[in-house]
Amino acid sequence: MGLHLLLFLVLCGLPGIFSEESADVTVIVRGSSTVAKTDDHFVCATLDWWPPEKCNYNQCPWGQSSILNLDLTHPFLAKSIQAFNSLRIRVGGSLQDQVMYGVPNFGGPCFPFKKMAGGLFGLSKGCLSMERWDELNSLFQKTGATVTFGLNALNGRQHIRNKVWGGAWNSSNARDFIEYTISKGYPVDSWEFGNELSGHGIGASVGAEQYGKDLVHLKAILDELYKDSRSKPQLVAPGGFFDQPWYAHLLQVSGSGVLDAMTHHVYNLGGGNDPHIISKITDPQYLNRIADTFRSLQLTIKSYGPWASAWVGEAGGAYNSGSHLVSSTFLNSFWYLDQLGMASKYNTRVYCRQTLIGGNYGLLDTKTFIPNPDYYSALLWNRLMGNGVLSIDLSGSSYLRAYAHCRKRKSGVSLLLINLSKSTEFIVTVRNDINVNLAEGGGIQRDGSFVHGLKRTVSWVGRRASDQSETREEYHLTAKDGNHLSQTVLLNGTPLELTEDGDIPPLNPVLTAANSPISIAPLSIAFVVFPKFEAQACV
């Protein structure tokens, strides 16, 4: 019996003994030319209009985080924005098409949103007072933020049926608001027209024909009001979910030189109460699905409006305020960083995360203003990943995601590696394509196709494999105590927490020999910077 018991215990222990596996992977970075480009202010975060009454799934996670009631003087807020050195902030969201602007000649009371039966999203119209707009701009100027403001595109239209609205846009209140903004010297980088009115819409919809005509009208207003300005803001639209025929028609109607960027929203994880959200985040096949949207928008712009660029105007992973159990945790960074990398490959110039603060998906905790793990993921991307997007070839498991960019404002290359596997450690060899003979050896994957022939040799990224003096920077992100639903993330084993003064902690790398393999632990993320990488496109 004793022998049988011992054998039973050994067999039961086998899954644990062999749960940690390792796999060799080769990443070839093609540095001769860039395949896409991002904007200098690619990383973006939103401020939304939702009042405390916004509730989903028996939760009301917005609290005092609205554009109208957020504590703009909280020291953590300013410091978190300043750390990005000009973070793009998109002011907008579902209620923006119900916002009036309390300019001096408004002629009525300027009240916030309140519950109203029959109102869009169950709320009344709201009003942005110019006193509050002044306060917001004080924060923006203090922190060096780059501002994108979403205008009300429903004003003056009539509700026809269901979600369909018709008639021309009444621009008078928006025009007065823009005039006030200019008179105060507030720099708005871009004006966005409408929120989720494209296609079938969410709360309301407007036809592409009328929307295009209204964009032409708004463009004329901006040209007139900014005619004496040294720099003119961009015009972006429609801030909705991508509907190919609608987007194509909008470009055709508005015509060349009107729309600078097409904004679309992405919530590919489903509702915040989806019981499968955790498995979706770690499923490479599921994450790949959104590539079709990025690809289709890229082709639509190329065919119908090559003068415009693509932006993600809002992306929170899970819609309806995010997932209470997931969106504020370390695990959430896996889809978020993967989507930043994927969007970049399809020439997405700007990517706005829902939200900076508010709901369950805020980069900052709604109550404490303390950064959540995704904040540090966004900050590392912003500091390390430059504008130039490089192509890579990848061998091995689909559970290892890899993205390469020119290094931010310096020579060299930055690599993002995401390990979606719960059990496999990847040993990554990084090669430069100028050192690879593709007529040798095994096999690699190049953007979905297989190119046979890669001999795994030493790991080196320059012309001299023997030069041991070169180093690289590594930034490994892991979960505290191995709990991937923790709200604390470790950088190279050290918890990322605010200092005693409320400052953002330093994000220091570990230095490693540039030609040594990179170890990526299960369910971890790593940014790797190669300062001496020979990439002609990044010189």
Side-chain angles (χ1 to χ4, degrees), residues 41-47 84 86-91 146-148 311-315 336 340 349-356 363 378 382:
H41 305 106
F42 172 73
V43 174
C44 165
T46 68
L47 288 175
F84 281 85
S86 193
L87 174 67
R88 181 184 295 276
I89 295 179
R90 181 241 184 183
V91 181
T146 298
V147 179
T148 296
W311 288 20
V312 171
E314 186 180 308
Y336 176 43
L340 289 180
R349 297 301 179 92
V350 170
Y351 187 106
C352 296
R353 167 61 183 266
Q354 176 83 344
T355 60
L356 174 61
L363 297 180
N382 183 71

PDB file of all heavy atoms in Angstrom, residues 41-47 84 86-91 146-148 311-315 336 340 349-356 363 378 382:
ATOM      1  N   HIS A  41       2.485  62.115 -30.345  1.00  0.00           N
ATOM      2  CA  HIS A  41       1.597  61.964 -29.189  1.00  0.00           C
ATOM      3  C   HIS A  41       0.678  60.768 -29.418  1.00  0.00           C
ATOM      4  O   HIS A  41      -0.544  60.861 -29.288  1.00  0.00           O
ATOM      5  CB  HIS A  41       0.792  63.236 -28.959  1.00  0.00           C
ATOM      6  CG  HIS A  41       1.649  64.459 -28.810  1.00  0.00           C
ATOM      7  ND1 HIS A  41       1.767  65.413 -29.799  1.00  0.00           N
ATOM      8  CD2 HIS A  41       2.471  64.855 -27.813  1.00  0.00           C
ATOM      9  CE1 HIS A  41       2.604  66.352 -29.406  1.00  0.00           C
ATOM     10  NE2 HIS A  41       3.049  66.039 -28.200  1.00  0.00           N
ATOM     11  N   PHE A  42       1.279  59.638 -29.739  1.00  0.00           N
ATOM     12  CA  PHE A  42       0.533  58.404 -30.022  1.00  0.00           C
ATOM     13  C   PHE A  42      -0.249  57.936 -28.799  1.00  0.00           C
ATOM     14  O   PHE A  42      -1.432  57.617 -28.876  1.00  0.00           O
ATOM     15  CB  PHE A  42       1.510  57.316 -30.466  1.00  0.00           C
ATOM     16  CG  PHE A  42       0.905  55.952 -30.611  1.00  0.00           C
ATOM     17  CD1 PHE A  42       0.062  55.653 -31.673  1.00  0.00           C
ATOM     18  CD2 PHE A  42       1.193  54.948 -29.692  1.00  0.00           C
ATOM     19  CE1 PHE A  42      -0.494  54.392 -31.814  1.00  0.00           C
ATOM     20  CE2 PHE A  42       0.650  53.679 -29.817  1.00  0.00           C
ATOM     21  CZ  PHE A  42      -0.198  53.391 -30.887  1.00  0.00           C
ATOM     22  N   VAL A  43       0.406  57.897 -27.638  1.00  0.00           N
ATOM     23  CA  VAL A  43      -0.267  57.474 -26.412  1.00  0.00           C
ATOM     24  C   VAL A  43      -1.182  58.601 -25.941  1.00  0.00           C
ATOM     25  O   VAL A  43      -0.759  59.740 -25.770  1.00  0.00           O
ATOM     26  CB  VAL A  43       0.746  57.109 -25.311  1.00  0.00           C
ATOM     27  CG1 VAL A  43       0.029  56.819 -23.997  1.00  0.00           C
ATOM     28  CG2 VAL A  43       1.563  55.892 -25.732  1.00  0.00           C
ATOM     29  N   CYS A  44      -2.433  58.242 -25.746  1.00  0.00           N
ATOM     30  CA  CYS A  44      -3.472  59.216 -25.434  1.00  0.00           C
ATOM     31  C   CYS A  44      -4.391  58.607 -24.379  1.00  0.00           C
ATOM     32  O   CYS A  44      -4.547  57.387 -24.310  1.00  0.00           O
ATOM     33  CB  CYS A  44      -4.240  59.531 -26.723  1.00  0.00           C
ATOM     34  SG  CYS A  44      -5.840  60.370 -26.539  1.00  0.00           S
ATOM     35  N   ALA A  45      -4.978  59.443 -23.545  1.00  0.00           N
ATOM     36  CA  ALA A  45      -5.953  58.982 -22.560  1.00  0.00           C
ATOM     37  C   ALA A  45      -7.138  59.937 -22.565  1.00  0.00           C
ATOM     38  O   ALA A  45      -6.989  61.123 -22.872  1.00  0.00           O
ATOM     39  CB  ALA A  45      -5.335  58.898 -21.170  1.00  0.00           C
ATOM     40  N   THR A  46      -8.311  59.425 -22.221  1.00  0.00           N
ATOM     41  CA  THR A  46      -9.521  60.226 -22.315  1.00  0.00           C
ATOM     42  C   THR A  46      -9.990  60.739 -20.956  1.00  0.00           C
ATOM     43  O   THR A  46      -9.738  60.145 -19.915  1.00  0.00           O
ATOM     44  CB  THR A  46     -10.684  59.409 -22.928  1.00  0.00           C
ATOM     45  OG1 THR A  46     -11.070  58.389 -22.000  1.00  0.00           O
ATOM     46  CG2 THR A  46     -10.270  58.759 -24.235  1.00  0.00           C
ATOM     47  N   LEU A  47     -10.676  61.865 -20.995  1.00  0.00           N
ATOM     48  CA  LEU A  47     -11.505  62.335 -19.887  1.00  0.00           C
ATOM     49  C   LEU A  47     -12.941  62.317 -20.394  1.00  0.00           C
ATOM     50  O   LEU A  47     -13.225  62.834 -21.483  1.00  0.00           O
ATOM     51  CB  LEU A  47     -11.105  63.748 -19.447  1.00  0.00           C
ATOM     52  CG  LEU A  47      -9.776  63.883 -18.695  1.00  0.00           C
ATOM     53  CD1 LEU A  47      -9.456  65.349 -18.427  1.00  0.00           C
ATOM     54  CD2 LEU A  47      -9.813  63.113 -17.369  1.00  0.00           C
ATOM     55  N   PHE A  84       4.380  61.992 -18.683  1.00  0.00           N
ATOM     56  CA  PHE A  84       4.390  61.623 -20.102  1.00  0.00           C
ATOM     57  C   PHE A  84       5.072  62.667 -20.976  1.00  0.00           C
ATOM     58  O   PHE A  84       5.302  62.417 -22.161  1.00  0.00           O
ATOM     59  CB  PHE A  84       2.950  61.414 -20.601  1.00  0.00           C
ATOM     60  CG  PHE A  84       2.364  60.087 -20.214  1.00  0.00           C
ATOM     61  CD1 PHE A  84       1.758  59.919 -18.985  1.00  0.00           C
ATOM     62  CD2 PHE A  84       2.418  59.007 -21.082  1.00  0.00           C
ATOM     63  CE1 PHE A  84       1.211  58.704 -18.614  1.00  0.00           C
ATOM     64  CE2 PHE A  84       1.877  57.790 -20.728  1.00  0.00           C
ATOM     65  CZ  PHE A  84       1.270  57.628 -19.482  1.00  0.00           C
ATOM     66  N   SER A  86       3.919  65.665 -22.197  1.00  0.00           N
ATOM     67  CA  SER A  86       2.927  66.052 -23.194  1.00  0.00           C
ATOM     68  C   SER A  86       2.032  64.879 -23.577  1.00  0.00           C
ATOM     69  O   SER A  86       2.007  64.420 -24.719  1.00  0.00           O
ATOM     70  CB  SER A  86       3.565  66.652 -24.457  1.00  0.00           C
ATOM     71  OG  SER A  86       2.565  67.269 -25.251  1.00  0.00           O
ATOM     72  N   LEU A  87       1.266  64.404 -22.613  1.00  0.00           N
ATOM     73  CA  LEU A  87       0.269  63.370 -22.862  1.00  0.00           C
ATOM     74  C   LEU A  87      -0.888  63.954 -23.660  1.00  0.00           C
ATOM     75  O   LEU A  87      -1.391  65.034 -23.337  1.00  0.00           O
ATOM     76  CB  LEU A  87      -0.258  62.828 -21.525  1.00  0.00           C
ATOM     77  CG  LEU A  87      -1.428  61.833 -21.599  1.00  0.00           C
ATOM     78  CD1 LEU A  87      -0.983  60.525 -22.249  1.00  0.00           C
ATOM     79  CD2 LEU A  87      -1.993  61.571 -20.207  1.00  0.00           C
ATOM     80  N   ARG A  88      -1.310  63.244 -24.710  1.00  0.00           N
ATOM     81  CA  ARG A  88      -2.520  63.665 -25.420  1.00  0.00           C
ATOM     82  C   ARG A  88      -3.732  63.275 -24.575  1.00  0.00           C
ATOM     83  O   ARG A  88      -3.865  62.118 -24.146  1.00  0.00           O
ATOM     84  CB  ARG A  88      -2.622  63.003 -26.796  1.00  0.00           C
ATOM     85  CG  ARG A  88      -3.890  63.450 -27.562  1.00  0.00           C
ATOM     86  CD  ARG A  88      -4.040  62.721 -28.886  1.00  0.00           C
ATOM     87  NE  ARG A  88      -2.984  63.041 -29.811  1.00  0.00           N
ATOM     88  CZ  ARG A  88      -2.968  64.108 -30.616  1.00  0.00           C
ATOM     89  NH1 ARG A  88      -3.959  64.984 -30.579  1.00  0.00           N
ATOM     90  NH2 ARG A  88      -1.949  64.304 -31.442  1.00  0.00           N
ATOM     91  N   ILE A  89      -4.614  64.232 -24.340  1.00  0.00           N
ATOM     92  CA  ILE A  89      -5.852  63.973 -23.617  1.00  0.00           C
ATOM     93  C   ILE A  89      -7.026  64.261 -24.538  1.00  0.00           C
ATOM     94  O   ILE A  89      -7.149  65.366 -25.078  1.00  0.00           O
ATOM     95  CB  ILE A  89      -5.946  64.827 -22.340  1.00  0.00           C
ATOM     96  CG1 ILE A  89      -4.851  64.416 -21.348  1.00  0.00           C
ATOM     97  CG2 ILE A  89      -7.327  64.687 -21.705  1.00  0.00           C
ATOM     98  CD1 ILE A  89      -4.856  65.220 -20.062  1.00  0.00           C
ATOM     99  N   ARG A  90      -7.847  63.257 -24.731  1.00  0.00           N
ATOM    100  CA  ARG A  90      -9.056  63.425 -25.528  1.00  0.00           C
ATOM    101  C   ARG A  90     -10.228  63.702 -24.582  1.00  0.00           C
ATOM    102  O   ARG A  90     -10.558  62.893 -23.728  1.00  0.00           O
ATOM    103  CB  ARG A  90      -9.321  62.174 -26.362  1.00  0.00           C
ATOM    104  CG  ARG A  90     -10.568  62.278 -27.246  1.00  0.00           C
ATOM    105  CD  ARG A  90     -11.567  61.211 -26.881  1.00  0.00           C
ATOM    106  NE  ARG A  90     -12.736  61.215 -27.774  1.00  0.00           N
ATOM    107  CZ  ARG A  90     -13.783  60.418 -27.626  1.00  0.00           C
ATOM    108  NH1 ARG A  90     -13.805  59.525 -26.657  1.00  0.00           N
ATOM    109  NH2 ARG A  90     -14.805  60.483 -28.441  1.00  0.00           N
ATOM    110  N   VAL A  91     -10.824  64.883 -24.717  1.00  0.00           N
ATOM    111  CA  VAL A  91     -11.958  65.284 -23.896  1.00  0.00           C
ATOM    112  C   VAL A  91     -13.218  64.923 -24.669  1.00  0.00           C
ATOM    113  O   VAL A  91     -13.539  65.547 -25.681  1.00  0.00           O
ATOM    114  CB  VAL A  91     -11.921  66.794 -23.596  1.00  0.00           C
ATOM    115  CG1 VAL A  91     -13.102  67.199 -22.728  1.00  0.00           C
ATOM    116  CG2 VAL A  91     -10.611  67.175 -22.927  1.00  0.00           C
ATOM    117  N   THR A 146      -1.465  67.675 -24.494  1.00  0.00           N
ATOM    118  CA  THR A 146      -1.895  67.950 -25.860  1.00  0.00           C
ATOM    119  C   THR A 146      -3.382  67.607 -25.938  1.00  0.00           C
ATOM    120  O   THR A 146      -3.774  66.477 -25.636  1.00  0.00           O
ATOM    121  CB  THR A 146      -1.110  67.101 -26.865  1.00  0.00           C
ATOM    122  OG1 THR A 146       0.276  67.444 -26.777  1.00  0.00           O
ATOM    123  CG2 THR A 146      -1.592  67.313 -28.282  1.00  0.00           C
ATOM    124  N   VAL A 147      -4.221  68.569 -26.327  1.00  0.00           N
ATOM    125  CA  VAL A 147      -5.668  68.429 -26.157  1.00  0.00           C
ATOM    126  C   VAL A 147      -6.384  68.129 -27.475  1.00  0.00           C
ATOM    127  O   VAL A 147      -6.183  68.806 -28.483  1.00  0.00           O
ATOM    128  CB  VAL A 147      -6.263  69.704 -25.528  1.00  0.00           C
ATOM    129  CG1 VAL A 147      -7.774  69.581 -25.368  1.00  0.00           C
ATOM    130  CG2 VAL A 147      -5.609  69.983 -24.175  1.00  0.00           C
ATOM    131  N   THR A 148      -7.229  67.105 -27.429  1.00  0.00           N
ATOM    132  CA  THR A 148      -8.212  66.825 -28.477  1.00  0.00           C
ATOM    133  C   THR A 148      -9.584  66.984 -27.845  1.00  0.00           C
ATOM    134  O   THR A 148      -9.883  66.329 -26.845  1.00  0.00           O
ATOM    135  CB  THR A 148      -8.051  65.402 -29.028  1.00  0.00           C
ATOM    136  OG1 THR A 148      -6.772  65.270 -29.664  1.00  0.00           O
ATOM    137  CG2 THR A 148      -9.145  65.072 -30.031  1.00  0.00           C
ATOM    138  N   TRP A 311      -6.897  57.059 -36.437  1.00  0.00           N
ATOM    139  CA  TRP A 311      -6.733  57.187 -34.994  1.00  0.00           C
ATOM    140  C   TRP A 311      -7.680  56.220 -34.295  1.00  0.00           C
ATOM    141  O   TRP A 311      -8.805  56.002 -34.770  1.00  0.00           O
ATOM    142  CB  TRP A 311      -7.107  58.579 -34.503  1.00  0.00           C
ATOM    143  CG  TRP A 311      -6.197  59.712 -34.825  1.00  0.00           C
ATOM    144  CD1 TRP A 311      -5.249  59.781 -35.804  1.00  0.00           C
ATOM    145  CD2 TRP A 311      -6.177  60.985 -34.169  1.00  0.00           C
ATOM    146  NE1 TRP A 311      -4.637  61.002 -35.793  1.00  0.00           N
ATOM    147  CE2 TRP A 311      -5.184  61.771 -34.801  1.00  0.00           C
ATOM    148  CE3 TRP A 311      -6.895  61.536 -33.116  1.00  0.00           C
ATOM    149  CZ2 TRP A 311      -4.899  63.078 -34.404  1.00  0.00           C
ATOM    150  CZ3 TRP A 311      -6.624  62.830 -32.721  1.00  0.00           C
ATOM    151  CH2 TRP A 311      -5.633  63.598 -33.348  1.00  0.00           C
ATOM    152  N   VAL A 312      -7.243  55.669 -33.177  1.00  0.00           N
ATOM    153  CA  VAL A 312      -8.178  55.042 -32.242  1.00  0.00           C
ATOM    154  C   VAL A 312      -8.562  56.125 -31.243  1.00  0.00           C
ATOM    155  O   VAL A 312      -7.748  56.554 -30.436  1.00  0.00           O
ATOM    156  CB  VAL A 312      -7.562  53.826 -31.521  1.00  0.00           C
ATOM    157  CG1 VAL A 312      -8.479  53.340 -30.410  1.00  0.00           C
ATOM    158  CG2 VAL A 312      -7.297  52.697 -32.511  1.00  0.00           C
ATOM    159  N   GLY A 313      -9.796  56.587 -31.338  1.00  0.00           N
ATOM    160  CA  GLY A 313     -10.227  57.698 -30.500  1.00  0.00           C
ATOM    161  C   GLY A 313     -10.663  57.280 -29.115  1.00  0.00           C
ATOM    162  O   GLY A 313     -10.753  58.115 -28.210  1.00  0.00           O
ATOM    163  N   GLU A 314     -10.939  55.979 -28.955  1.00  0.00           N
ATOM    164  CA  GLU A 314     -11.374  55.491 -27.643  1.00  0.00           C
ATOM    165  C   GLU A 314     -11.271  53.973 -27.640  1.00  0.00           C
ATOM    166  O   GLU A 314     -11.771  53.309 -28.545  1.00  0.00           O
ATOM    167  CB  GLU A 314     -12.822  55.929 -27.384  1.00  0.00           C
ATOM    168  CG  GLU A 314     -13.354  55.604 -25.999  1.00  0.00           C
ATOM    169  CD  GLU A 314     -14.807  56.066 -25.829  1.00  0.00           C
ATOM    170  OE1 GLU A 314     -15.087  57.257 -26.112  1.00  0.00           O
ATOM    171  OE2 GLU A 314     -15.645  55.236 -25.439  1.00  0.00           O
ATOM    172  N   ALA A 315     -10.601  53.430 -26.626  1.00  0.00           N
ATOM    173  CA  ALA A 315     -10.465  51.981 -26.491  1.00  0.00           C
ATOM    174  C   ALA A 315     -10.310  51.629 -25.019  1.00  0.00           C
ATOM    175  O   ALA A 315      -9.370  52.082 -24.373  1.00  0.00           O
ATOM    176  CB  ALA A 315      -9.277  51.460 -27.294  1.00  0.00           C
ATOM    177  N   TYR A 336      -3.926  45.452 -23.768  1.00  0.00           N
ATOM    178  CA  TYR A 336      -3.681  46.873 -24.029  1.00  0.00           C
ATOM    179  C   TYR A 336      -2.386  47.084 -24.798  1.00  0.00           C
ATOM    180  O   TYR A 336      -2.370  47.724 -25.873  1.00  0.00           O
ATOM    181  CB  TYR A 336      -3.665  47.617 -22.701  1.00  0.00           C
ATOM    182  CG  TYR A 336      -3.336  49.092 -22.791  1.00  0.00           C
ATOM    183  CD1 TYR A 336      -3.877  49.899 -23.778  1.00  0.00           C
ATOM    184  CD2 TYR A 336      -2.498  49.691 -21.842  1.00  0.00           C
ATOM    185  CE1 TYR A 336      -3.581  51.260 -23.840  1.00  0.00           C
ATOM    186  CE2 TYR A 336      -2.207  51.037 -21.884  1.00  0.00           C
ATOM    187  CZ  TYR A 336      -2.744  51.821 -22.889  1.00  0.00           C
ATOM    188  OH  TYR A 336      -2.458  53.166 -22.941  1.00  0.00           O
ATOM    189  N   LEU A 340      -1.735  48.275 -28.700  1.00  0.00           N
ATOM    190  CA  LEU A 340      -0.878  49.392 -29.098  1.00  0.00           C
ATOM    191  C   LEU A 340       0.078  48.954 -30.196  1.00  0.00           C
ATOM    192  O   LEU A 340       0.289  49.671 -31.189  1.00  0.00           O
ATOM    193  CB  LEU A 340      -0.088  49.912 -27.891  1.00  0.00           C
ATOM    194  CG  LEU A 340      -0.844  50.661 -26.796  1.00  0.00           C
ATOM    195  CD1 LEU A 340       0.117  51.097 -25.697  1.00  0.00           C
ATOM    196  CD2 LEU A 340      -1.577  51.871 -27.356  1.00  0.00           C
ATOM    197  N   ARG A 349      -2.057  56.484 -36.059  1.00  0.00           N
ATOM    198  CA  ARG A 349      -1.186  57.563 -35.587  1.00  0.00           C
ATOM    199  C   ARG A 349      -1.388  57.885 -34.105  1.00  0.00           C
ATOM    200  O   ARG A 349      -0.448  58.325 -33.429  1.00  0.00           O
ATOM    201  CB  ARG A 349      -1.425  58.825 -36.418  1.00  0.00           C
ATOM    202  CG  ARG A 349      -1.063  58.662 -37.902  1.00  0.00           C
ATOM    203  CD  ARG A 349       0.396  58.273 -38.074  1.00  0.00           C
ATOM    204  NE  ARG A 349       0.771  58.097 -39.463  1.00  0.00           N
ATOM    205  CZ  ARG A 349       1.274  59.054 -40.231  1.00  0.00           C
ATOM    206  NH1 ARG A 349       1.460  60.259 -39.739  1.00  0.00           N
ATOM    207  NH2 ARG A 349       1.585  58.810 -41.489  1.00  0.00           N
ATOM    208  N   VAL A 350      -2.627  57.702 -33.603  1.00  0.00           N
ATOM    209  CA  VAL A 350      -2.952  58.040 -32.218  1.00  0.00           C
ATOM    210  C   VAL A 350      -3.823  56.930 -31.635  1.00  0.00           C
ATOM    211  O   VAL A 350      -4.683  56.384 -32.328  1.00  0.00           O
ATOM    212  CB  VAL A 350      -3.696  59.398 -32.141  1.00  0.00           C
ATOM    213  CG1 VAL A 350      -4.269  59.654 -30.752  1.00  0.00           C
ATOM    214  CG2 VAL A 350      -2.778  60.547 -32.560  1.00  0.00           C
ATOM    215  N   TYR A 351      -3.606  56.625 -30.337  1.00  0.00           N
ATOM    216  CA  TYR A 351      -4.398  55.586 -29.678  1.00  0.00           C
ATOM    217  C   TYR A 351      -4.808  56.112 -28.303  1.00  0.00           C
ATOM    218  O   TYR A 351      -3.974  56.273 -27.414  1.00  0.00           O
ATOM    219  CB  TYR A 351      -3.578  54.300 -29.534  1.00  0.00           C
ATOM    220  CG  TYR A 351      -4.365  53.108 -29.023  1.00  0.00           C
ATOM    221  CD1 TYR A 351      -4.722  52.063 -29.877  1.00  0.00           C
ATOM    222  CD2 TYR A 351      -4.737  53.016 -27.684  1.00  0.00           C
ATOM    223  CE1 TYR A 351      -5.424  50.967 -29.412  1.00  0.00           C
ATOM    224  CE2 TYR A 351      -5.446  51.924 -27.212  1.00  0.00           C
ATOM    225  CZ  TYR A 351      -5.792  50.905 -28.079  1.00  0.00           C
ATOM    226  OH  TYR A 351      -6.497  49.815 -27.609  1.00  0.00           O
ATOM    227  N   CYS A 352      -6.114  56.395 -28.150  1.00  0.00           N
ATOM    228  CA  CYS A 352      -6.632  56.986 -26.916  1.00  0.00           C
ATOM    229  C   CYS A 352      -7.248  55.917 -26.022  1.00  0.00           C
ATOM    230  O   CYS A 352      -8.218  55.259 -26.410  1.00  0.00           O
ATOM    231  CB  CYS A 352      -7.678  58.049 -27.221  1.00  0.00           C
ATOM    232  SG  CYS A 352      -7.027  59.482 -28.115  1.00  0.00           S
ATOM    233  N   ARG A 353      -6.705  55.788 -24.838  1.00  0.00           N
ATOM    234  CA  ARG A 353      -7.183  54.809 -23.869  1.00  0.00           C
ATOM    235  C   ARG A 353      -8.337  55.397 -23.059  1.00  0.00           C
ATOM    236  O   ARG A 353      -8.260  56.501 -22.535  1.00  0.00           O
ATOM    237  CB  ARG A 353      -6.041  54.407 -22.931  1.00  0.00           C
ATOM    238  CG  ARG A 353      -6.449  53.631 -21.687  1.00  0.00           C
ATOM    239  CD  ARG A 353      -7.125  52.293 -22.019  1.00  0.00           C
ATOM    240  NE  ARG A 353      -7.530  51.670 -20.763  1.00  0.00           N
ATOM    241  CZ  ARG A 353      -6.777  50.785 -20.106  1.00  0.00           C
ATOM    242  NH1 ARG A 353      -5.601  50.423 -20.600  1.00  0.00           N
ATOM    243  NH2 ARG A 353      -7.209  50.253 -18.981  1.00  0.00           N
ATOM    244  N   GLN A 354      -9.408  54.673 -22.970  1.00  0.00           N
ATOM    245  CA  GLN A 354     -10.530  54.974 -22.104  1.00  0.00           C
ATOM    246  C   GLN A 354     -10.256  54.319 -20.751  1.00  0.00           C
ATOM    247  O   GLN A 354     -10.260  53.100 -20.658  1.00  0.00           O
ATOM    248  CB  GLN A 354     -11.831  54.442 -22.733  1.00  0.00           C
ATOM    249  CG  GLN A 354     -13.078  54.600 -21.903  1.00  0.00           C
ATOM    250  CD  GLN A 354     -13.710  55.973 -22.030  1.00  0.00           C
ATOM    251  OE1 GLN A 354     -13.073  56.917 -22.500  1.00  0.00           O
ATOM    252  NE2 GLN A 354     -14.941  56.106 -21.612  1.00  0.00           N
ATOM    253  N   THR A 355      -9.934  55.039 -19.708  1.00  0.00           N
ATOM    254  CA  THR A 355      -9.857  56.478 -19.544  1.00  0.00           C
ATOM    255  C   THR A 355      -8.549  56.826 -18.837  1.00  0.00           C
ATOM    256  O   THR A 355      -7.845  55.932 -18.385  1.00  0.00           O
ATOM    257  CB  THR A 355     -10.994  56.980 -18.633  1.00  0.00           C
ATOM    258  OG1 THR A 355     -10.861  56.332 -17.357  1.00  0.00           O
ATOM    259  CG2 THR A 355     -12.377  56.684 -19.168  1.00  0.00           C
ATOM    260  N   LEU A 356      -8.276  58.135 -18.714  1.00  0.00           N
ATOM    261  CA  LEU A 356      -7.213  58.539 -17.798  1.00  0.00           C
ATOM    262  C   LEU A 356      -7.655  58.239 -16.372  1.00  0.00           C
ATOM    263  O   LEU A 356      -6.915  57.669 -15.572  1.00  0.00           O
ATOM    264  CB  LEU A 356      -6.892  60.029 -17.959  1.00  0.00           C
ATOM    265  CG  LEU A 356      -5.886  60.600 -16.946  1.00  0.00           C
ATOM    266  CD1 LEU A 356      -4.541  59.896 -17.054  1.00  0.00           C
ATOM    267  CD2 LEU A 356      -5.732  62.102 -17.120  1.00  0.00           C
ATOM    268  N   LEU A 363      -6.610  54.579 -16.137  1.00  0.00           N
ATOM    269  CA  LEU A 363      -5.181  54.414 -15.873  1.00  0.00           C
ATOM    270  C   LEU A 363      -4.875  54.790 -14.423  1.00  0.00           C
ATOM    271  O   LEU A 363      -3.921  54.284 -13.831  1.00  0.00           O
ATOM    272  CB  LEU A 363      -4.357  55.283 -16.823  1.00  0.00           C
ATOM    273  CG  LEU A 363      -4.461  54.955 -18.316  1.00  0.00           C
ATOM    274  CD1 LEU A 363      -3.591  55.914 -19.131  1.00  0.00           C
ATOM    275  CD2 LEU A 363      -4.083  53.523 -18.602  1.00  0.00           C
ATOM    276  N   ALA A 378       1.561  52.102 -20.248  1.00  0.00           N
ATOM    277  CA  ALA A 378       1.463  53.220 -21.192  1.00  0.00           C
ATOM    278  C   ALA A 378       2.687  54.123 -21.098  1.00  0.00           C
ATOM    279  O   ALA A 378       3.201  54.607 -22.121  1.00  0.00           O
ATOM    280  CB  ALA A 378       0.193  54.023 -20.912  1.00  0.00           C
ATOM    281  N   ASN A 382       5.366  54.976 -23.996  1.00  0.00           N
ATOM    282  CA  ASN A 382       5.566  56.370 -24.383  1.00  0.00           C
ATOM    283  C   ASN A 382       7.033  56.774 -24.336  1.00  0.00           C
ATOM    284  O   ASN A 382       7.501  57.548 -25.172  1.00  0.00           O
ATOM    285  CB  ASN A 382       4.747  57.260 -23.457  1.00  0.00           C
ATOM    286  CG  ASN A 382       4.832  58.727 -23.820  1.00  0.00           C
ATOM    287  OD1 ASN A 382       4.289  59.157 -24.828  1.00  0.00           O
ATOM    288  ND2 ASN A 382       5.528  59.498 -23.002  1.00  0.00           N
TER     289      ASN A 382
END
